[in-house]
Amino acid sequence: MTRKDFFWETTDEPHAARRKLILEKYPKIKELYGYDSKTKWKVLVVCFLQILSCYLISQLSWFAIILIAWSWGGTLAQFLNLAIHEISHGLAFEKETHNRLFSIFITNLPLGIPASVTFKRYHMEHHSFQGEATIDMDLPCKFEGIIFKGKFLKLIWVFLQPLFYILRPIILAPKNPTIWEGVNWISQISFNFLIYYLFGVKAIAYLPLSTLLGMGLHPIAGHFIAEHYVFNPGFETYSYYGPLNYITCNVGYHNEHHDFPRIPGSRLYKLRQIAPEFYDHLPQYDSWVKVIWNYIFDDNMGPYYRTKRLLKNKQIANNHKIN
């Protein structure tokens, strides 16, 4: 039967406790901590490809642009989105300032939408307060659970996922803007104007279209659902071990990432190799497309299939510290 409420837990999230157990047994895992110097070069290549695409599509029809934005541009944009995720954890450079500047002035620009600074503010809370209903803005709200039922409406919900990720924190947990968010907006507007000046209106439309379409009904966007939607009651985080990890900074290793957010995505497979007994028995996926399909066509699934917590914020703050 379709659920009428979320899965509510009074226990702590599983990652801090598992991290402690793993480090007690395998202290050498701390050697995997740090940053990956190759990340910046991958980002630069993808940024170049997306800007080159702006030039190449500038004379095409709108239909062709939309198709290319979904298929090619959406894939590149998803890589950049997930690189921002990686950089938000300080995993591209040794110094935090270098991570922030690279994220704003390089990684974010081909997305067409200023997101990197605000994303980091909310994403750190997703890690520190996973499932806490008033803080973790990765969680769907009650409105989504009430409205988006049935196959057709769930299909619409999947397509509109980027809008929910944008609007949910603004409406439910607004924050005062920071200077760095202002810098993020100014740099993005300036870059967008430059793209418009050089390549025209179709090019500037292509960038945000790629970002929004790539986050919606797109094979890689299956990671949004796969990561935390409860397909197996009793488990709230899931890993994906399929080939798309190669172009998504290994974000599919999601249990591993939440357990050890200081390990860059390129080394998370080593964590699983060192401590397989902590991960191999957990529910896992090998296809994000299948996850999307099951979410839409399984009548039992929907936005309510997420775990929320009843713990008090103070207790969570004391017990959930990302190492």
PDB file of all heavy atoms in Angstrom, residues 112-141:
ATOM      1  N   GLY A 112      25.365  27.421 -15.574  1.00  0.00           N
ATOM      2  CA  GLY A 112      24.442  28.500 -15.894  1.00  0.00           C
ATOM      3  C   GLY A 112      23.608  28.986 -14.725  1.00  0.00           C
ATOM      4  O   GLY A 112      22.879  29.964 -14.841  1.00  0.00           O
ATOM      5  N   ILE A 113      23.699  28.312 -13.586  1.00  0.00           N
ATOM      6  CA  ILE A 113      22.898  28.629 -12.394  1.00  0.00           C
ATOM      7  C   ILE A 113      23.843  28.702 -11.200  1.00  0.00           C
ATOM      8  O   ILE A 113      24.583  27.741 -10.944  1.00  0.00           O
ATOM      9  CB  ILE A 113      21.830  27.555 -12.138  1.00  0.00           C
ATOM     10  CG1 ILE A 113      20.877  27.453 -13.335  1.00  0.00           C
ATOM     11  CG2 ILE A 113      21.041  27.861 -10.857  1.00  0.00           C
ATOM     12  CD1 ILE A 113      19.936  26.268 -13.257  1.00  0.00           C
ATOM     13  N   PRO A 114      23.858  29.799 -10.440  1.00  0.00           N
ATOM     14  CA  PRO A 114      24.743  29.885  -9.271  1.00  0.00           C
ATOM     15  C   PRO A 114      24.275  28.948  -8.167  1.00  0.00           C
ATOM     16  O   PRO A 114      23.174  29.090  -7.651  1.00  0.00           O
ATOM     17  CB  PRO A 114      24.631  31.352  -8.847  1.00  0.00           C
ATOM     18  CG  PRO A 114      23.288  31.785  -9.347  1.00  0.00           C
ATOM     19  CD  PRO A 114      23.036  31.014 -10.610  1.00  0.00           C
ATOM     20  N   ALA A 115      25.112  27.989  -7.807  1.00  0.00           N
ATOM     21  CA  ALA A 115      24.653  26.962  -6.865  1.00  0.00           C
ATOM     22  C   ALA A 115      25.701  26.519  -5.864  1.00  0.00           C
ATOM     23  O   ALA A 115      25.349  26.029  -4.785  1.00  0.00           O
ATOM     24  CB  ALA A 115      24.168  25.737  -7.647  1.00  0.00           C
ATOM     25  N   SER A 116      26.977  26.672  -6.160  1.00  0.00           N
ATOM     26  CA  SER A 116      28.001  25.968  -5.387  1.00  0.00           C
ATOM     27  C   SER A 116      28.040  26.373  -3.917  1.00  0.00           C
ATOM     28  O   SER A 116      28.153  25.519  -3.037  1.00  0.00           O
ATOM     29  CB  SER A 116      29.378  26.175  -6.019  1.00  0.00           C
ATOM     30  OG  SER A 116      29.771  27.532  -5.969  1.00  0.00           O
ATOM     31  N   VAL A 117      27.938  27.669  -3.622  1.00  0.00           N
ATOM     32  CA  VAL A 117      28.062  28.126  -2.235  1.00  0.00           C
ATOM     33  C   VAL A 117      26.842  27.710  -1.418  1.00  0.00           C
ATOM     34  O   VAL A 117      26.964  27.169  -0.307  1.00  0.00           O
ATOM     35  CB  VAL A 117      28.254  29.653  -2.179  1.00  0.00           C
ATOM     36  CG1 VAL A 117      28.322  30.126  -0.728  1.00  0.00           C
ATOM     37  CG2 VAL A 117      29.524  30.050  -2.925  1.00  0.00           C
ATOM     38  N   THR A 118      25.653  27.947  -1.969  1.00  0.00           N
ATOM     39  CA  THR A 118      24.428  27.582  -1.254  1.00  0.00           C
ATOM     40  C   THR A 118      24.334  26.072  -1.084  1.00  0.00           C
ATOM     41  O   THR A 118      23.920  25.583  -0.029  1.00  0.00           O
ATOM     42  CB  THR A 118      23.198  28.105  -2.009  1.00  0.00           C
ATOM     43  OG1 THR A 118      23.317  29.523  -2.158  1.00  0.00           O
ATOM     44  CG2 THR A 118      21.919  27.793  -1.248  1.00  0.00           C
ATOM     45  N   PHE A 119      24.711  25.340  -2.126  1.00  0.00           N
ATOM     46  CA  PHE A 119      24.684  23.875  -2.021  1.00  0.00           C
ATOM     47  C   PHE A 119      25.516  23.399  -0.845  1.00  0.00           C
ATOM     48  O   PHE A 119      25.082  22.545  -0.062  1.00  0.00           O
ATOM     49  CB  PHE A 119      25.205  23.241  -3.309  1.00  0.00           C
ATOM     50  CG  PHE A 119      25.454  21.759  -3.174  1.00  0.00           C
ATOM     51  CD1 PHE A 119      24.406  20.864  -3.243  1.00  0.00           C
ATOM     52  CD2 PHE A 119      26.735  21.263  -2.937  1.00  0.00           C
ATOM     53  CE1 PHE A 119      24.626  19.498  -3.096  1.00  0.00           C
ATOM     54  CE2 PHE A 119      26.969  19.905  -2.796  1.00  0.00           C
ATOM     55  CZ  PHE A 119      25.902  19.022  -2.874  1.00  0.00           C
ATOM     56  N   LYS A 120      26.715  23.948  -0.707  1.00  0.00           N
ATOM     57  CA  LYS A 120      27.576  23.489   0.381  1.00  0.00           C
ATOM     58  C   LYS A 120      26.943  23.742   1.742  1.00  0.00           C
ATOM     59  O   LYS A 120      27.018  22.883   2.638  1.00  0.00           O
ATOM     60  CB  LYS A 120      28.943  24.172   0.317  1.00  0.00           C
ATOM     61  CG  LYS A 120      29.851  23.743   1.456  1.00  0.00           C
ATOM     62  CD  LYS A 120      31.245  24.308   1.349  1.00  0.00           C
ATOM     63  CE  LYS A 120      32.097  23.838   2.528  1.00  0.00           C
ATOM     64  NZ  LYS A 120      33.490  24.291   2.443  1.00  0.00           N
ATOM     65  N   ARG A 121      26.311  24.887   1.926  1.00  0.00           N
ATOM     66  CA  ARG A 121      25.707  25.206   3.226  1.00  0.00           C
ATOM     67  C   ARG A 121      24.665  24.163   3.620  1.00  0.00           C
ATOM     68  O   ARG A 121      24.628  23.691   4.767  1.00  0.00           O
ATOM     69  CB  ARG A 121      25.072  26.598   3.191  1.00  0.00           C
ATOM     70  CG  ARG A 121      26.061  27.722   2.951  1.00  0.00           C
ATOM     71  CD  ARG A 121      25.356  29.069   2.908  1.00  0.00           C
ATOM     72  NE  ARG A 121      24.940  29.509   4.235  1.00  0.00           N
ATOM     73  CZ  ARG A 121      24.181  30.575   4.456  1.00  0.00           C
ATOM     74  NH1 ARG A 121      23.729  31.294   3.422  1.00  0.00           N
ATOM     75  NH2 ARG A 121      23.860  30.926   5.682  1.00  0.00           N
ATOM     76  N   TYR A 122      23.819  23.793   2.675  1.00  0.00           N
ATOM     77  CA  TYR A 122      22.772  22.818   2.985  1.00  0.00           C
ATOM     78  C   TYR A 122      23.307  21.384   2.981  1.00  0.00           C
ATOM     79  O   TYR A 122      22.827  20.541   3.755  1.00  0.00           O
ATOM     80  CB  TYR A 122      21.623  22.948   1.991  1.00  0.00           C
ATOM     81  CG  TYR A 122      20.772  24.179   2.219  1.00  0.00           C
ATOM     82  CD1 TYR A 122      20.917  25.312   1.433  1.00  0.00           C
ATOM     83  CD2 TYR A 122      19.826  24.211   3.249  1.00  0.00           C
ATOM     84  CE1 TYR A 122      20.140  26.444   1.654  1.00  0.00           C
ATOM     85  CE2 TYR A 122      19.047  25.329   3.479  1.00  0.00           C
ATOM     86  CZ  TYR A 122      19.206  26.445   2.679  1.00  0.00           C
ATOM     87  OH  TYR A 122      18.434  27.570   2.912  1.00  0.00           O
ATOM     88  N   HIS A 123      24.291  21.120   2.131  1.00  0.00           N
ATOM     89  CA  HIS A 123      24.785  19.742   2.050  1.00  0.00           C
ATOM     90  C   HIS A 123      25.544  19.331   3.311  1.00  0.00           C
ATOM     91  O   HIS A 123      25.459  18.172   3.741  1.00  0.00           O
ATOM     92  CB  HIS A 123      25.683  19.575   0.826  1.00  0.00           C
ATOM     93  CG  HIS A 123      26.118  18.159   0.622  1.00  0.00           C
ATOM     94  ND1 HIS A 123      25.224  17.150   0.289  1.00  0.00           N
ATOM     95  CD2 HIS A 123      27.341  17.558   0.718  1.00  0.00           C
ATOM     96  CE1 HIS A 123      25.875  16.013   0.191  1.00  0.00           C
ATOM     97  NE2 HIS A 123      27.165  16.220   0.452  1.00  0.00           N
ATOM     98  N   MET A 124      26.277  20.242   3.914  1.00  0.00           N
ATOM     99  CA  MET A 124      26.962  19.904   5.161  1.00  0.00           C
ATOM    100  C   MET A 124      25.948  19.542   6.253  1.00  0.00           C
ATOM    101  O   MET A 124      26.200  18.672   7.089  1.00  0.00           O
ATOM    102  CB  MET A 124      27.839  21.072   5.605  1.00  0.00           C
ATOM    103  CG  MET A 124      29.034  21.365   4.692  1.00  0.00           C
ATOM    104  SD  MET A 124      30.186  19.971   4.475  1.00  0.00           S
ATOM    105  CE  MET A 124      29.672  19.340   2.857  1.00  0.00           C
ATOM    106  N   GLU A 125      24.794  20.194   6.227  1.00  0.00           N
ATOM    107  CA  GLU A 125      23.746  19.858   7.192  1.00  0.00           C
ATOM    108  C   GLU A 125      23.130  18.496   6.883  1.00  0.00           C
ATOM    109  O   GLU A 125      22.733  17.761   7.798  1.00  0.00           O
ATOM    110  CB  GLU A 125      22.672  20.945   7.189  1.00  0.00           C
ATOM    111  CG  GLU A 125      23.167  22.269   7.739  1.00  0.00           C
ATOM    112  CD  GLU A 125      22.111  23.359   7.733  1.00  0.00           C
ATOM    113  OE1 GLU A 125      21.102  23.214   7.005  1.00  0.00           O
ATOM    114  OE2 GLU A 125      22.292  24.348   8.449  1.00  0.00           O
ATOM    115  N   HIS A 126      23.039  18.156   5.601  1.00  0.00           N
ATOM    116  CA  HIS A 126      22.542  16.820   5.238  1.00  0.00           C
ATOM    117  C   HIS A 126      23.431  15.745   5.848  1.00  0.00           C
ATOM    118  O   HIS A 126      22.933  14.710   6.315  1.00  0.00           O
ATOM    119  CB  HIS A 126      22.514  16.700   3.714  1.00  0.00           C
ATOM    120  CG  HIS A 126      22.340  15.300   3.217  1.00  0.00           C
ATOM    121  ND1 HIS A 126      21.234  14.528   3.525  1.00  0.00           N
ATOM    122  CD2 HIS A 126      23.139  14.512   2.420  1.00  0.00           C
ATOM    123  CE1 HIS A 126      21.354  13.344   2.950  1.00  0.00           C
ATOM    124  NE2 HIS A 126      22.506  13.308   2.284  1.00  0.00           N
ATOM    125  N   HIS A 127      24.742  15.961   5.877  1.00  0.00           N
ATOM    126  CA  HIS A 127      25.644  14.991   6.488  1.00  0.00           C
ATOM    127  C   HIS A 127      25.556  15.012   8.011  1.00  0.00           C
ATOM    128  O   HIS A 127      25.473  13.965   8.644  1.00  0.00           O
ATOM    129  CB  HIS A 127      27.089  15.276   6.062  1.00  0.00           C
ATOM    130  CG  HIS A 127      27.456  14.632   4.763  1.00  0.00           C
ATOM    131  ND1 HIS A 127      28.014  13.380   4.676  1.00  0.00           N
ATOM    132  CD2 HIS A 127      27.335  15.075   3.490  1.00  0.00           C
ATOM    133  CE1 HIS A 127      28.231  13.065   3.403  1.00  0.00           C
ATOM    134  NE2 HIS A 127      27.827  14.091   2.657  1.00  0.00           N
ATOM    135  N   SER A 128      25.577  16.195   8.584  1.00  0.00           N
ATOM    136  CA  SER A 128      25.620  16.294  10.044  1.00  0.00           C
ATOM    137  C   SER A 128      24.283  15.971  10.694  1.00  0.00           C
ATOM    138  O   SER A 128      24.240  15.513  11.841  1.00  0.00           O
ATOM    139  CB  SER A 128      26.041  17.714  10.460  1.00  0.00           C
ATOM    140  OG  SER A 128      27.328  18.016   9.984  1.00  0.00           O
ATOM    141  N   PHE A 129      23.182  16.192   9.961  1.00  0.00           N
ATOM    142  CA  PHE A 129      21.839  16.009  10.527  1.00  0.00           C
ATOM    143  C   PHE A 129      20.981  15.146   9.609  1.00  0.00           C
ATOM    144  O   PHE A 129      19.841  15.487   9.307  1.00  0.00           O
ATOM    145  CB  PHE A 129      21.172  17.362  10.753  1.00  0.00           C
ATOM    146  CG  PHE A 129      21.995  18.323  11.563  1.00  0.00           C
ATOM    147  CD1 PHE A 129      22.642  19.397  10.966  1.00  0.00           C
ATOM    148  CD2 PHE A 129      22.136  18.154  12.928  1.00  0.00           C
ATOM    149  CE1 PHE A 129      23.398  20.282  11.712  1.00  0.00           C
ATOM    150  CE2 PHE A 129      22.887  19.035  13.687  1.00  0.00           C
ATOM    151  CZ  PHE A 129      23.527  20.100  13.080  1.00  0.00           C
ATOM    152  N   GLN A 130      21.532  14.034   9.154  1.00  0.00           N
ATOM    153  CA  GLN A 130      20.811  13.194   8.196  1.00  0.00           C
ATOM    154  C   GLN A 130      19.461  12.754   8.745  1.00  0.00           C
ATOM    155  O   GLN A 130      19.371  12.160   9.812  1.00  0.00           O
ATOM    156  CB  GLN A 130      21.633  11.959   7.838  1.00  0.00           C
ATOM    157  CG  GLN A 130      20.945  11.031   6.830  1.00  0.00           C
ATOM    158  CD  GLN A 130      21.810   9.861   6.440  1.00  0.00           C
ATOM    159  OE1 GLN A 130      22.998  10.026   6.154  1.00  0.00           O
ATOM    160  NE2 GLN A 130      21.245   8.667   6.426  1.00  0.00           N
ATOM    161  N   GLY A 131      18.414  13.072   7.995  1.00  0.00           N
ATOM    162  CA  GLY A 131      17.068  12.653   8.367  1.00  0.00           C
ATOM    163  C   GLY A 131      16.363  13.566   9.333  1.00  0.00           C
ATOM    164  O   GLY A 131      15.168  13.376   9.597  1.00  0.00           O
ATOM    165  N   GLU A 132      17.054  14.565   9.872  1.00  0.00           N
ATOM    166  CA  GLU A 132      16.416  15.484  10.818  1.00  0.00           C
ATOM    167  C   GLU A 132      15.469  16.396  10.037  1.00  0.00           C
ATOM    168  O   GLU A 132      15.887  17.186   9.202  1.00  0.00           O
ATOM    169  CB  GLU A 132      17.485  16.294  11.555  1.00  0.00           C
ATOM    170  CG  GLU A 132      17.140  16.594  12.984  1.00  0.00           C
ATOM    171  CD  GLU A 132      15.975  17.573  13.129  1.00  0.00           C
ATOM    172  OE1 GLU A 132      15.818  18.454  12.267  1.00  0.00           O
ATOM    173  OE2 GLU A 132      15.215  17.448  14.088  1.00  0.00           O
ATOM    174  N   ALA A 133      14.186  16.262  10.344  1.00  0.00           N
ATOM    175  CA  ALA A 133      13.140  16.793   9.465  1.00  0.00           C
ATOM    176  C   ALA A 133      13.232  18.288   9.234  1.00  0.00           C
ATOM    177  O   ALA A 133      12.904  18.770   8.154  1.00  0.00           O
ATOM    178  CB  ALA A 133      11.766  16.430  10.025  1.00  0.00           C
ATOM    179  N   THR A 134      13.665  19.047  10.213  1.00  0.00           N
ATOM    180  CA  THR A 134      13.671  20.504  10.067  1.00  0.00           C
ATOM    181  C   THR A 134      14.990  21.043   9.530  1.00  0.00           C
ATOM    182  O   THR A 134      15.098  22.249   9.290  1.00  0.00           O
ATOM    183  CB  THR A 134      13.379  21.175  11.423  1.00  0.00           C
ATOM    184  OG1 THR A 134      14.395  20.801  12.358  1.00  0.00           O
ATOM    185  CG2 THR A 134      12.024  20.748  11.955  1.00  0.00           C
ATOM    186  N   ILE A 135      15.979  20.162   9.342  1.00  0.00           N
ATOM    187  CA  ILE A 135      17.308  20.620   8.931  1.00  0.00           C
ATOM    188  C   ILE A 135      17.747  20.014   7.606  1.00  0.00           C
ATOM    189  O   ILE A 135      18.262  20.733   6.742  1.00  0.00           O
ATOM    190  CB  ILE A 135      18.350  20.301  10.028  1.00  0.00           C
ATOM    191  CG1 ILE A 135      17.996  21.031  11.317  1.00  0.00           C
ATOM    192  CG2 ILE A 135      19.750  20.704   9.567  1.00  0.00           C
ATOM    193  CD1 ILE A 135      18.950  20.767  12.456  1.00  0.00           C
ATOM    194  N   ASP A 136      17.552  18.726   7.430  1.00  0.00           N
ATOM    195  CA  ASP A 136      18.032  18.030   6.242  1.00  0.00           C
ATOM    196  C   ASP A 136      17.112  18.326   5.059  1.00  0.00           C
ATOM    197  O   ASP A 136      16.046  17.730   4.911  1.00  0.00           O
ATOM    198  CB  ASP A 136      18.095  16.526   6.516  1.00  0.00           C
ATOM    199  CG  ASP A 136      18.679  15.731   5.365  1.00  0.00           C
ATOM    200  OD1 ASP A 136      19.012  16.349   4.333  1.00  0.00           O
ATOM    201  OD2 ASP A 136      18.804  14.493   5.505  1.00  0.00           O
ATOM    202  N   MET A 137      17.540  19.241   4.179  1.00  0.00           N
ATOM    203  CA  MET A 137      16.710  19.649   3.057  1.00  0.00           C
ATOM    204  C   MET A 137      16.836  18.712   1.854  1.00  0.00           C
ATOM    205  O   MET A 137      16.274  18.981   0.793  1.00  0.00           O
ATOM    206  CB  MET A 137      17.052  21.085   2.644  1.00  0.00           C
ATOM    207  CG  MET A 137      16.596  22.122   3.652  1.00  0.00           C
ATOM    208  SD  MET A 137      14.787  22.148   3.845  1.00  0.00           S
ATOM    209  CE  MET A 137      14.598  21.350   5.463  1.00  0.00           C
ATOM    210  N   ASP A 138      17.547  17.615   2.017  1.00  0.00           N
ATOM    211  CA  ASP A 138      17.529  16.564   1.007  1.00  0.00           C
ATOM    212  C   ASP A 138      16.224  15.769   1.083  1.00  0.00           C
ATOM    213  O   ASP A 138      15.876  15.051   0.152  1.00  0.00           O
ATOM    214  CB  ASP A 138      18.730  15.631   1.208  1.00  0.00           C
ATOM    215  CG  ASP A 138      18.889  14.639   0.074  1.00  0.00           C
ATOM    216  OD1 ASP A 138      19.241  15.073  -1.040  1.00  0.00           O
ATOM    217  OD2 ASP A 138      18.669  13.433   0.297  1.00  0.00           O
ATOM    218  N   LEU A 139      15.500  15.920   2.187  1.00  0.00           N
ATOM    219  CA  LEU A 139      14.264  15.181   2.414  1.00  0.00           C
ATOM    220  C   LEU A 139      13.083  15.828   1.699  1.00  0.00           C
ATOM    221  O   LEU A 139      12.927  17.054   1.730  1.00  0.00           O
ATOM    222  CB  LEU A 139      13.947  15.131   3.908  1.00  0.00           C
ATOM    223  CG  LEU A 139      14.923  14.363   4.798  1.00  0.00           C
ATOM    224  CD1 LEU A 139      14.696  14.746   6.254  1.00  0.00           C
ATOM    225  CD2 LEU A 139      14.746  12.863   4.597  1.00  0.00           C
ATOM    226  N   PRO A 140      12.227  15.047   1.062  1.00  0.00           N
ATOM    227  CA  PRO A 140      10.985  15.615   0.522  1.00  0.00           C
ATOM    228  C   PRO A 140      10.114  16.151   1.652  1.00  0.00           C
ATOM    229  O   PRO A 140      10.242  15.733   2.807  1.00  0.00           O
ATOM    230  CB  PRO A 140      10.310  14.423  -0.160  1.00  0.00           C
ATOM    231  CG  PRO A 140      11.375  13.397  -0.302  1.00  0.00           C
ATOM    232  CD  PRO A 140      12.340  13.612   0.823  1.00  0.00           C
ATOM    233  N   CYS A 141       9.245  17.079   1.317  1.00  0.00           N
ATOM    234  CA  CYS A 141       8.323  17.614   2.317  1.00  0.00           C
ATOM    235  C   CYS A 141       6.980  16.882   2.216  1.00  0.00           C
ATOM    236  O   CYS A 141       6.734  16.108   1.289  1.00  0.00           O
ATOM    237  CB  CYS A 141       8.126  19.119   2.134  1.00  0.00           C
ATOM    238  SG  CYS A 141       7.348  19.572   0.568  1.00  0.00           S
TER     239      CYS A 141
END
